[in-house]
Every structure is written in structure tokens, then in C-alpha cells.
Amino acid sequence: MKKLGVATKAIHSDFLKKDPHGAMHMPVYDSVSFEFETAEETAKAFEGKRAGHVYSRITNPTVENFEQKIKNISSGFGVLAVSSGMAAISNLILAIAGSGDNIITTKHLFGNTLSLFERTLKSWGLEVKYADLTNPNSLSDIIDSNTRAVFLEPITNPQLEIVDMKALSKITKKHNILLIADTTITPPYLFDSKEFGVDVEVISSTKYISGGATSIGGVIIDNGTFEWKYNPKLAEDAKKIGPFALISKLRNEVYRNLGACLSPHNAYLQSIGLETLTLRADKSCSNTLVLAKYLEDNSKIDCVHYPGLESSNYFDIAKKQFPNGAGALMTFDLSSIEECFKFMNKLSLIRRATNLNDNKTLILHPGSTIFCEFSKEQKDEMGIRDTMIRLAVGIEDVEDLIFDIEQALIPKNGM
Ligand SMILES: *Cc1c(COP(=O)(O)O)cnc(C)c1O
């Protein structure tokens, strides 16, 4: 049969079990537990010898359907849905590393992820090492026998730096170290993580996938490329169940015990959101390119950053890694923090709010918000300038966005 495109797969994915009423959307199974005909059947379900849902913290039909849909549109071998993007990251790290282990990452990370590594997980004995991942060869000096993973975002937020994923994955593969990518702003359709050597993908489905900021959620996608025998926490499982080791470790231990499960209602919202992912990704990426070009041509604006711009240092690599669009996040600078605030306050259509890949265009001053807990030196290290504004572009008519920006750039007294 002809291979289906992502848009088609996102819409037409069969239920694992036929719905008794022929429902077209998987209904919300808002039930905590599920019963069996006999005590023997119940016992079999608990032992995993019989398919069937037992308790919604572990599996649920609506959540399972959402996982199935994600599996369909990605290169995933196994998928686990969780309650948020942060839950996806924390569950995964707790499954693959422990006290005495280390992971390698960069300071150019989503702030809460950095805080999870630096504050929360460090106090449980995990060591975090920082490297310049844009120079993959530098990793060979940092990797040691306790290194369990390299973690990164393929387009960093808000620096919009892009790592050559194939070059990086060559190094991680050589050392048998897991490569994890947080692909929240470039989910499947925008980025084929398996093709570029990522072993496990984590996504905040709160963003693009939810379909317009309807609900919080997260997913872990195991691409099935990593030999789990190379991870001490999973080596035993790898002997018995091979490639299923990670998803099984999560489902039957870490995820089950931590309890950060996705609610069936949110799984329903996100399944519906997923069906229009490609449309929204196309529109928001093309809007971003138009806005970036418009701002680049405007003399009041400095340093417009968008990897889809020909002037960007990352233009060539972006084209290769993200052929359907370089995401919907861009930044630019005004002359001072005061100018930034004045400009933002004058906007009427574009909303002042955190979040990204909403249907609405959102604007934020990263230095005074997401990164306010960091010192000036730390911000410099992270590439956060006080003059920088972040625009998370939505799917409105782009002329209306330009009109709003234009009126906000003109001083009130006409000077
Ligand atoms: C928002 C975000 C997260 C966290 O996701 P939540 O769903 O808010 O927990 C993680 N990584 C990136 C890149 C994000 O943008």
C-alpha cells in the first residue's frame, strides 16, 4: 500500500479496538478502573498476560489512543503519554540515570529543564555536564563511563541555535550513549528525529500538538534505535525484552510509581489537536518567515533571529533538518529594555503571555520573565539579552500581525 503522508496519518488512525457505537473520535473514558469477568482474568491482567486496562494511572483507552496517534505520525517504536512536558523529561531521566551517573547538555535549554537538572535531580546525585553541542567533537573529552545521555533541543529557545544532529549522533553512537532531543517546538512533521539520529524524543504536547493551548501534556517517543544493554539501569530488561526495555521500565515502574499520568480528557483534546498539526505548523512557520523578513527590513529593529532567514548562520542546516519549516519562534532586539516594554504595551492583537505554538501570536521579554531567576552573568552565558524580545507566532492573517507591530513601533507623538 502507498505510504501515507503525516497529515493523513494524523487524521486516519484506527482504534486498537472497534468502538461498540462506531464513534469517529475515541470517546473520553473517564473511569479510574476497569473490571474483568472473573478473578482469574483479573489476575492475568495484573500479570500482563492478558491485554486490558486495569487502572487509569497506568493505562487508559483514551490515553492509549492518543499514544497510538503519536506513534502513527512519528518514527516511534514505542510511545508513552504523560501529564506534561516536564513529566516527560523527568520520567525519562529517572528511568535511564541515577546517583553517580551524569548527563551532558548545554546551558541553552528551556529554563525549567535546566532547573530540573541543576536543582532537583542534582540533589539526588545526578551530575550535569555542560558542553558546546554545536561542536560535537568536543564531547569526546567530556564523555566518561558514567555518562548516560546527551540531552538537547534541536532548535534552542530563545537563542535559536541549531545543532548538526547527524554529526552529534555519530559521536553518541560511537560511545553507545543515548541521544535525547526535546522536540517540543519541532515535533514530528517538522523534524524526523529518527532520520537525524535521535534515540528518544520528548515533547511538551502542551504546545503544537494540543491544537491551540487547550491543555497540558507530554510524550516520550522511543525510536527503537538504542541498544538498551548499554544502559546499566535497563541492561537486565534488555536481556529479556530487548527493544521494549525503556517503555516497559517506564510503564511498569517509573511512570507508574511517579503518577504523572495524562488525564483522559486532556488526551482527547490533544488527539483532536494532533489532527490539525500539519496545517497549523505550515501556517505558523510561513507567518514567522514573513514577519522575520518584514522586521529584518525595518530600521528600528536590531538582530532579527530566525533560522529560516537567509541571513541566519543556521539557514543551511535548518533547511536540511527542518525541510517543512524552521519553527514558529523568532527573536529581535530593540535599543533598550524600556523600549521593549513600551513596544510590547502598545500591541493590541499580539498577546503578552508565555507559551508557544498557540494559535494566537504571543510576545514575551525573556530576560525579565522566564529567565528572571538568573543573574546577569548567568543570562550572558545563556545568551539572554535585556534588549531581546521573543515572538511565538500563531496562525492569524499575517497582515494583521504586521499592522499591529507597525502601529506599536510608531511613537505616539509622531516623533
Ligand atoms: C514548554 C516546554 C517544556 C515544558 O512543557 P510543559 O508541558 O509546560 O511541562 C519543555 N521543553 C520545552 C522546549 C518547552 O517549550
PDB file of all heavy atoms in Angstrom, residues 239-251:
ATOM      1  N   LYS A 239      17.994  -7.795  28.287  1.00  0.00           N
ATOM      2  CA  LYS A 239      18.241  -9.229  28.051  1.00  0.00           C
ATOM      3  C   LYS A 239      16.941  -9.969  27.804  1.00  0.00           C
ATOM      4  O   LYS A 239      16.867 -10.874  26.988  1.00  0.00           O
ATOM      5  CB  LYS A 239      18.910  -9.835  29.303  1.00  0.00           C
ATOM      6  CG  LYS A 239      20.423  -9.788  29.243  1.00  0.00           C
ATOM      7  CD  LYS A 239      20.992 -10.636  30.374  1.00  0.00           C
ATOM      8  CE  LYS A 239      22.275 -10.017  30.887  1.00  0.00           C
ATOM      9  NZ  LYS A 239      22.536 -10.321  32.293  1.00  0.00           N
ATOM     10  N   LYS A 240      15.889  -9.567  28.557  1.00  0.00           N
ATOM     11  CA  LYS A 240      14.614 -10.298  28.473  1.00  0.00           C
ATOM     12  C   LYS A 240      13.725  -9.791  27.350  1.00  0.00           C
ATOM     13  O   LYS A 240      13.099 -10.566  26.647  1.00  0.00           O
ATOM     14  CB  LYS A 240      13.864 -10.148  29.806  1.00  0.00           C
ATOM     15  CG  LYS A 240      14.487 -10.957  30.930  1.00  0.00           C
ATOM     16  CD  LYS A 240      13.657 -10.831  32.203  1.00  0.00           C
ATOM     17  CE  LYS A 240      14.550 -10.543  33.399  1.00  0.00           C
ATOM     18  NZ  LYS A 240      13.993  -9.618  34.365  1.00  0.00           N
ATOM     19  N   ILE A 241      13.640  -8.472  27.209  1.00  0.00           N
ATOM     20  CA  ILE A 241      12.631  -7.940  26.273  1.00  0.00           C
ATOM     21  C   ILE A 241      13.225  -7.008  25.221  1.00  0.00           C
ATOM     22  O   ILE A 241      12.483  -6.341  24.494  1.00  0.00           O
ATOM     23  CB  ILE A 241      11.482  -7.222  27.040  1.00  0.00           C
ATOM     24  CG1 ILE A 241      12.047  -6.220  28.050  1.00  0.00           C
ATOM     25  CG2 ILE A 241      10.586  -8.226  27.733  1.00  0.00           C
ATOM     26  CD1 ILE A 241      10.978  -5.388  28.741  1.00  0.00           C
ATOM     27  N   GLY A 242      14.551  -6.955  25.145  1.00  0.00           N
ATOM     28  CA  GLY A 242      15.226  -6.225  24.074  1.00  0.00           C
ATOM     29  C   GLY A 242      14.761  -4.786  23.925  1.00  0.00           C
ATOM     30  O   GLY A 242      14.850  -3.998  24.876  1.00  0.00           O
ATOM     31  N   PRO A 243      14.228  -4.443  22.755  1.00  0.00           N
ATOM     32  CA  PRO A 243      13.933  -3.049  22.460  1.00  0.00           C
ATOM     33  C   PRO A 243      12.791  -2.456  23.306  1.00  0.00           C
ATOM     34  O   PRO A 243      12.617  -1.241  23.326  1.00  0.00           O
ATOM     35  CB  PRO A 243      13.531  -3.074  20.973  1.00  0.00           C
ATOM     36  CG  PRO A 243      13.147  -4.482  20.690  1.00  0.00           C
ATOM     37  CD  PRO A 243      13.984  -5.330  21.590  1.00  0.00           C
ATOM     38  N   PHE A 244      12.011  -3.319  23.994  1.00  0.00           N
ATOM     39  CA  PHE A 244      10.898  -2.810  24.809  1.00  0.00           C
ATOM     40  C   PHE A 244      11.369  -2.330  26.180  1.00  0.00           C
ATOM     41  O   PHE A 244      10.566  -1.873  26.993  1.00  0.00           O
ATOM     42  CB  PHE A 244       9.836  -3.896  25.002  1.00  0.00           C
ATOM     43  CG  PHE A 244       9.192  -4.320  23.722  1.00  0.00           C
ATOM     44  CD1 PHE A 244       9.639  -5.443  23.033  1.00  0.00           C
ATOM     45  CD2 PHE A 244       8.136  -3.585  23.185  1.00  0.00           C
ATOM     46  CE1 PHE A 244       9.046  -5.830  21.835  1.00  0.00           C
ATOM     47  CE2 PHE A 244       7.543  -3.962  21.995  1.00  0.00           C
ATOM     48  CZ  PHE A 244       7.995  -5.085  21.312  1.00  0.00           C
ATOM     49  N   ALA A 245      12.683  -2.427  26.459  1.00  0.00           N
ATOM     50  CA  ALA A 245      13.173  -2.196  27.822  1.00  0.00           C
ATOM     51  C   ALA A 245      12.777  -0.831  28.392  1.00  0.00           C
ATOM     52  O   ALA A 245      12.307  -0.744  29.524  1.00  0.00           O
ATOM     53  CB  ALA A 245      14.693  -2.361  27.861  1.00  0.00           C
ATOM     54  N   LEU A 246      12.925   0.230  27.596  1.00  0.00           N
ATOM     55  CA  LEU A 246      12.648   1.567  28.148  1.00  0.00           C
ATOM     56  C   LEU A 246      11.159   1.754  28.444  1.00  0.00           C
ATOM     57  O   LEU A 246      10.792   2.147  29.563  1.00  0.00           O
ATOM     58  CB  LEU A 246      13.106   2.676  27.184  1.00  0.00           C
ATOM     59  CG  LEU A 246      12.742   4.073  27.686  1.00  0.00           C
ATOM     60  CD1 LEU A 246      13.572   4.467  28.905  1.00  0.00           C
ATOM     61  CD2 LEU A 246      12.874   5.126  26.606  1.00  0.00           C
ATOM     62  N   ILE A 247      10.320   1.476  27.460  1.00  0.00           N
ATOM     63  CA  ILE A 247       8.886   1.723  27.650  1.00  0.00           C
ATOM     64  C   ILE A 247       8.354   0.849  28.789  1.00  0.00           C
ATOM     65  O   ILE A 247       7.546   1.287  29.619  1.00  0.00           O
ATOM     66  CB  ILE A 247       8.111   1.487  26.326  1.00  0.00           C
ATOM     67  CG1 ILE A 247       8.530   2.533  25.267  1.00  0.00           C
ATOM     68  CG2 ILE A 247       6.602   1.541  26.552  1.00  0.00           C
ATOM     69  CD1 ILE A 247       8.135   3.972  25.544  1.00  0.00           C
ATOM     70  N   SER A 248       8.858  -0.371  28.877  1.00  0.00           N
ATOM     71  CA  SER A 248       8.422  -1.275  29.941  1.00  0.00           C
ATOM     72  C   SER A 248       8.885  -0.771  31.318  1.00  0.00           C
ATOM     73  O   SER A 248       8.125  -0.794  32.286  1.00  0.00           O
ATOM     74  CB  SER A 248       8.970  -2.673  29.659  1.00  0.00           C
ATOM     75  OG  SER A 248       8.922  -3.451  30.812  1.00  0.00           O
ATOM     76  N   LYS A 249      10.134  -0.295  31.387  1.00  0.00           N
ATOM     77  CA  LYS A 249      10.665   0.245  32.656  1.00  0.00           C
ATOM     78  C   LYS A 249       9.806   1.436  33.117  1.00  0.00           C
ATOM     79  O   LYS A 249       9.499   1.587  34.298  1.00  0.00           O
ATOM     80  CB  LYS A 249      12.106   0.709  32.423  1.00  0.00           C
ATOM     81  CG  LYS A 249      12.735   1.447  33.585  1.00  0.00           C
ATOM     82  CD  LYS A 249      13.436   0.480  34.474  1.00  0.00           C
ATOM     83  CE  LYS A 249      14.245   1.170  35.545  1.00  0.00           C
ATOM     84  NZ  LYS A 249      14.654   0.198  36.567  1.00  0.00           N
ATOM     85  N   LEU A 250       9.411   2.262  32.152  1.00  0.00           N
ATOM     86  CA  LEU A 250       8.580   3.411  32.481  1.00  0.00           C
ATOM     87  C   LEU A 250       7.192   2.948  32.915  1.00  0.00           C
ATOM     88  O   LEU A 250       6.718   3.262  34.000  1.00  0.00           O
ATOM     89  CB  LEU A 250       8.462   4.342  31.268  1.00  0.00           C
ATOM     90  CG  LEU A 250       9.696   5.196  30.962  1.00  0.00           C
ATOM     91  CD1 LEU A 250       9.653   5.712  29.530  1.00  0.00           C
ATOM     92  CD2 LEU A 250       9.790   6.366  31.933  1.00  0.00           C
ATOM     93  N   ARG A 251       6.549   2.185  32.047  1.00  0.00           N
ATOM     94  CA  ARG A 251       5.147   1.800  32.278  1.00  0.00           C
ATOM     95  C   ARG A 251       4.994   0.991  33.556  1.00  0.00           C
ATOM     96  O   ARG A 251       4.068   1.186  34.320  1.00  0.00           O
ATOM     97  CB  ARG A 251       4.651   0.995  31.066  1.00  0.00           C
ATOM     98  CG  ARG A 251       3.195   0.592  31.138  1.00  0.00           C
ATOM     99  CD  ARG A 251       2.225   1.669  30.696  1.00  0.00           C
ATOM    100  NE  ARG A 251       2.273   1.899  29.262  1.00  0.00           N
ATOM    101  CZ  ARG A 251       1.679   2.952  28.691  1.00  0.00           C
ATOM    102  NH1 ARG A 251       1.028   3.845  29.406  1.00  0.00           N
ATOM    103  NH2 ARG A 251       1.772   3.129  27.396  1.00  0.00           N
TER     104      ARG A 251
END
